[in-house]
Amino acid sequence: MVATIGFPRESAPGERRTLLTPTVAAVLTSAGFAVLTEPGIGADVYLGDSEIAAAGARFADPDAVWSAGLVLRYKSPDPADLYRLRPGQSIAALFHAEGDPRLLAALTESRVTAYSYELLCEAGRSVGGAARAGGGRAGGAVRCAGVAGPGRRPGSRSS
């Protein structure tokens, strides 16, 4: 079974950005993933549907896109959009849920796995822009808490 990654259109008023470009679609499809997206996803950044389709993405209605095992967005969806997800799915976006109790409650109630780009870490180091831009050492430790292993404090460096 091929893993499917869905890229729904952004829904925030005035939001024009998208994660899905022809290059991203080509890399993901060449790695064996099926890429689903909504028609017009790149229109606001001057990417035509034909360019995205030529790179391997398939177009579908919003419900099909939101039903993918992994849903990737640029910005956080409106909490009302989370009803489209089912328990066990994964979604990633710039959530900033720590400042939005309604969104945090909706994510928790949805029983999905949510990845917030600004909180991601690699090898104990913060990779999210928000963590680099203003989190400092304390912010990085909080953001990287998930990478602590046995005998290591969250955010500590390995020797």
Side-chain angles (χ1 to χ4, degrees):
M1 180 176 199
V2 175
T4 301
I5 302 174
F7 290 85
R9 289 185 69 161
E10 297 296 320
S11 57
E15 182 57 65
R16 298 172 31 165
R17 296 170 283 194
T18 179
L19 293 177
L20 186 60
T21 65
T23 301
V24 169
V27 167
L28 291 173
T29 56
S30 69
F33 294 97
V35 175
L36 278 182
T37 191
E38 297 177 50
I41 189 166
D44 288 334
V45 291
Y46 308 105
L47 291 173
D49 287 348
S50 61
E51 294 174 81
I52 294 171
R58 292 181 296 138
F59 294 96
D61 65 79
D63 288 335
V65 174
W66 279 90
S67 71
L70 173 61
V71 174
L72 298 178
R73 294 183 46 109
Y74 180 77
K75 293 291 275 184
S76 174
D78 184 283
D81 282 335
L82 294 175
Y83 79 89
R84 297 172 182 257
L85 299 172
R86 66 188 184 288
Q89 272 183 282
S90 295
I91 184 170
L94 284 168
F95 283 108
H96 298 293
E98 71 280 1
D100 187 343
R102 192 174 132 230
L103 176 60
L104 190 56
L107 283 167
T108 302
E109 291 166 13
S110 72
R111 297 182 28 214
V112 300
T113 300
Y115 298 94
S116 195
Y117 302 137
E118 71 272 19
L119 304 180
L120 293 178
C121 300
E122 183 177 301
R125 290 190 208 150
S126 198
V127 295
R132 283 196 307 270
R137 196 168 176 96
V142 171
R143 288 176 175 85
C144 293
V147 299
R152 285 187 54 210
R153 291 187 344 259
S156 65
R157 300 197 187 273
S158 56
S159 46

